[in-house]
Amino acid sequence: MLSSGGRVGSAVVALRPERAAPETFPGASPAPPLSRGFARQFAALDLGTNNCRLLVARPVGAGFRVVDAFSRIVRLGEGLAATGALSDAAIARTLDALKICAAKIAARNVAAGRYVATEACRRAANCEAFLTRVRDEVGLEIEIISSREEARLVVAGCAPLLHPRIPNAIVFDIGGGSTEIVWLRLARGPDGRRRPHILGALSLPFGVVTLTDRFGGAEVSPATYRLMIAEAAAALAPFERNHRILRHVRAGRVQMLGSSGTVTTLAGIHLALPRYIRALVDGSTLTFEQIGALSAHLAGLDFDGRAANPCIGRERADLVLSGCAVLDAICATWPVGRLRVADRGVREGILLDLMQA
């Protein structure tokens, strides 16, 4: 758990949908006229239990503009709960994705980069051997970060979406192998701007991949779905008792922000998007009533029905219900009533750190 009083950066982040061609951000301060060869560019890579994701960006005013990006589902943690180790197939998939990332980094004028791994590598007995292969075969030095650092980076990356007039916030990230919950207070600094201070954080030892491995994902009965919700709710209860968040929720002093594939997927479905469009999803809002209806709808579909949705697809059709169960537990524990959707997190937090160094 994080100690009280942790601070995170508060720069405004200008984000774009993931695409290779750079675009100008509305509202961003104009960048100085630099030629491509001399523009400082920074890289951030987040190797999670489910996804391998890269952003390359350059500073624009107080934020940044994405100039290259990559995201692929690799399921690095598939089977990890049963064996305690990364499988050969998962390693092979991940190495292929990392080679693409390394080529993109090499092709850009990257002034600095940080490349991190999270829960799967924290837990796997053979992770050091895997990272040695990554260094030798791919040429990337990947750092295993703690759940504390992961939570800090998520908050730093999402901070621009927090409402400055609501004094407290719950920020969560339902990942592949873990779920990060952060309790924040927005405090006014000497410059008059409100910045998030971390009051506490919780890392639940399960996410969409690990829950799916345990409970199944292709076919999920109503009873199984309720079991997943109950397990997540029980894991949240001690955090609520320690911080007494519910009293602040009842007083209307809490906002909620979700950064994960689960909430972005539900937002895309709610918006009836013909394909996932990050620019429309990031910063959108879902009410808890909408979340409940969407979760119930997905739980009533079979695998093929979920896979047919363009915001899910076959690669994630077996994972989405596990994420919905965790989200349902979060909403039941802290009935804020609505949440802000963030398609941003660890990578954006890394980029802000690098650009502010």
Side-chain angles (χ1 to χ4, degrees):
M1 183 175 292
L2 289 179
S3 60
S4 297
R7 290 187 60 180
V8 296
S10 60
V12 176
V13 185
L15 294 177
R16 275 304 197 190
E18 294 189 319
R19 58 182 69 186
E23 294 187 11
T24 303
F25 255 86
S29 301
L34 296 174
S35 69
R36 178 177 175 182
F38 292 94
R40 290 193 311 152
Q41 297 183 109
F42 300 85
L45 186 147
D46 175 14
L47 178 58
T49 303
N50 193 44
N51 288 284
C52 175
R53 307 180 74 190
L54 170 75
L55 280 183
V56 181
R58 68 175 184 176
V60 176
F64 58 78
R65 181 171 60 172
V66 174
V67 298
D68 206 350
F70 174 79
S71 180
R72 176 179 291 179
I73 293 173
V74 295
R75 300 203 186 201
L76 179 61
E78 190 173 53
L80 176 61
T83 66
L86 306 176
S87 71
D88 291 342
I91 288 173
R93 290 193 299 266
T94 305
L95 286 172
D96 286 343
L98 289 172
K99 287 173 183 175
I100 296 172
C101 293
K104 287 180 173 289
I105 292 167
R108 298 287 177 175
N109 183 28
V110 173
R114 188 180 183 194
Y115 317 124
V116 305
T118 54
E119 186 67 11
C121 283
R122 288 196 288 260
R123 294 176 56 188
N126 60 339
C127 190
E128 288 300 330
F130 163 64
L131 294 184
T132 297
R133 283 191 64 185
V134 172
R135 185 189 64 224
D136 294 345
E137 297 178 25
V138 181
L140 294 177
E141 289 280 355
I142 294 183
E143 163 195 4
I144 304 174
I145 59 172
S146 66
S147 59
R148 173 193 179 107
E149 174 68 356
E150 183 178 1
R152 184 193 72 82
L153 290 169
V154 168
V155 172
C158 294
L161 292 178
L162 294 172
H163 195 299
R165 294 194 183 126
I166 302 177
N168 295 96
I170 300 164
V171 176
F172 65 87
D173 182 354
I174 304 170
S178 66
T179 298
E180 313 305 321
I181 310 285
V182 188
W183 172 232
L184 302 173
R185 175 172 56 88
L186 295 177
R188 198 179 299 278
D191 60 358
R193 296 178 62 186
R194 292 187 181 272
R195 290 180 170 81
H197 291 248
I198 296 175
L199 302 175
L202 173 69
S203 183
L204 303 179
F206 50 77
V208 298
V209 173
T210 47
L211 280 179
T212 299
D213 281 350
R214 287 175 48 215
F215 290 96
E219 301 295 333
V220 179
S221 70
T224 298
Y225 189 76
R226 290 194 296 270
L227 278 176
M228 289 192 287
I229 295 174
E231 179 169 320
L236 293 170
F239 191 69
E240 161 56 29
R241 287 196 298 269
N242 288 340
H243 295 282
R244 300 181 66 190
I245 298 169
L246 190 55
R247 62 175 179 163
H248 297 283
V249 173
R250 288 169 175 161
R253 295 169 55 84
V254 179
Q255 59 188 302
M256 183 177 285
L257 189 150
S259 166
S260 72
T262 298
V263 294
T264 57
T265 295
L266 292 184
I269 296 170
H270 172 67
L271 293 169
L273 298 180
R275 60 181 178 83
Y276 185 81
I277 304 171
R278 179 179 182 174
L280 298 180
V281 169
D282 184 52
S284 64
T285 299
L286 287 171
T287 67
F288 282 17
E289 183 178 2
Q290 290 164 346
I291 290 169
L294 289 164
S295 296
H297 170 69
L298 292 176
L301 298 176
D302 61 12
F303 177 89
D304 289 334
R306 296 191 300 272
N309 190 287
C311 292
I312 299 175
R314 299 194 70 81
E315 282 191 313
R316 300 178 62 247
D318 62 334
L319 303 177
V320 68
L321 290 183
S322 296
C324 287
V326 176
L327 179 56
D328 283 349
I330 292 171
C331 293
T333 302
W334 298 298
V336 175
R338 61 177 51 234
L339 68 82
R340 194 91 186 268
V341 177
D343 189 344
R344 56 178 87 188
V346 169
R347 295 174 303 163
E348 290 79 7
I350 289 172
L351 288 172
L352 284 174
D353 281 354
L354 292 172
M355 293 174 187
Q356 295 169 357

